[in-house]
Amino acid sequence: MPTKMLQIPTADGQADAFAAFPDGGGRHPGVLMYADGFGIRPVLREMARELAGHGYFVLVPNLFYRYGPAPVIELPEHIGEEVRPAVFAQLMPLIEAHTTERVLSDADAYLKFLTTQPEVSAGPVAVTGYCIGGLLATRTAAAHPGQVAALAAFHGPVGVDGLDSLSKLTAEVHFGHAESDLTPKALGELNQALDAAGVGYTSEIYPGTIHGFTMSDTDAFNPAALQLHWDHMLPLLGRTLTKS
């Protein structure tokens, strides 16, 4: 699986990014993948390669490029409960400084860059994200309704901007929630907002999960839920993105 590191021009500098795409040349639908708060690391690169193997050009930007190239902070191989407080003490200032204005400015740059890559085919793109990346993916899809055809977000705080923010979505949506992140009542309210937006969607709580369930380098990892995430995302992209 070919991969490369890229530099994305943004309003605030250059964002380093990881890209994976199918072997054999040709052009492929683009997918913008937002990492969780821990950023680009082996597990994210592996997930990007996995998705690329299904026929997509996958771009994973370093969300915190303003503070340096990824990894912005030193991460252990396994981010267990005993190290999480120290890791989050370093990450939270970066997350809190990542304002909506920065998110939307960066999203413009990421999508412009993605769609002009020589390996990316013309047509709509998909956005996907994990944890805070799920929120960023949702904001990106809402801000680019004509361009983003599919949105998949996993264990992300997708309703934090207010449920009215979902009214701008036109993409087909899948939200995969952790049991620890969302009550059934909150899920019902979220799904009502998606109904009101008039978009095609699935939005469900993955059974037996806690926040971060897709990430194999954390204690939250749930292999069955990771597979369920692929079982939802791959058909969604297959329906909404046109392969040559």
Side-chain angles (χ1 to χ4, degrees), residues 149-163:
L151 163 63
F154 302 92
H155 47 81
V158 293
V160 76
D161 291 335
L163 297 181

Side-chain angles (χ1 to χ4, degrees), residues 46-151:
E46 180 54 40
M47 292 172 84
R49 284 192 291 265
E50 171 83 14
L51 183 53
H54 293 275
Y56 303 99
F57 182 101
V58 184
L59 181 69
V60 190
N62 170 19
L63 306 180
F64 305 127
Y65 68 87
R66 292 172 179 86
Y67 303 92
V72 176
I73 69 167
E74 191 173 338
L75 291 170
E77 282 187 26
H78 184 83
I79 307 167
E81 289 306 312
E82 71 284 355
V83 299
R84 283 176 76 92
V87 170
F88 271 105
Q90 296 177 79
L91 281 176
M92 284 312 295
L94 312 189
I95 292 171
E96 289 166 356
H98 203 56
T99 60
T100 302
E101 290 74 22
R102 282 185 172 184
V103 171
L104 296 180
S105 174
D106 286 349
D108 291 346
Y110 298 158
L111 288 177
K112 181 179 179 181
F113 184 85
L114 173 64
T115 54
T116 54
Q117 293 309 291
E119 302 90 353
V120 175
S121 54
V125 301
V127 291
T128 183
Y130 304 91
C131 182
I132 186 177
L135 172 61
L136 306 190
T138 304
R139 287 175 174 170
T140 299
H144 296 269
Q147 189 172 18
V148 176
L151 163 63

Side-chain angles (χ1 to χ4, degrees), residues 2-22:
T3 64
K4 56 186 173 181
M5 293 301 297
L6 297 166
Q7 294 290 324
I8 304 173
T10 76
D12 291 331
Q14 298 272 329
D16 52 305
F18 175 81
F21 47 97

Side-chain angles (χ1 to χ4, degrees), residues 23 25 28 32 36 52 123 136 162 167 183 185-186 197 233 236:
D23 209 348
H28 311 279
L32 175 60
D36 60 0
L136 306 190
S167 65
T183 65
K185 180 176 183 292
M233 180 159 55
L236 169 64

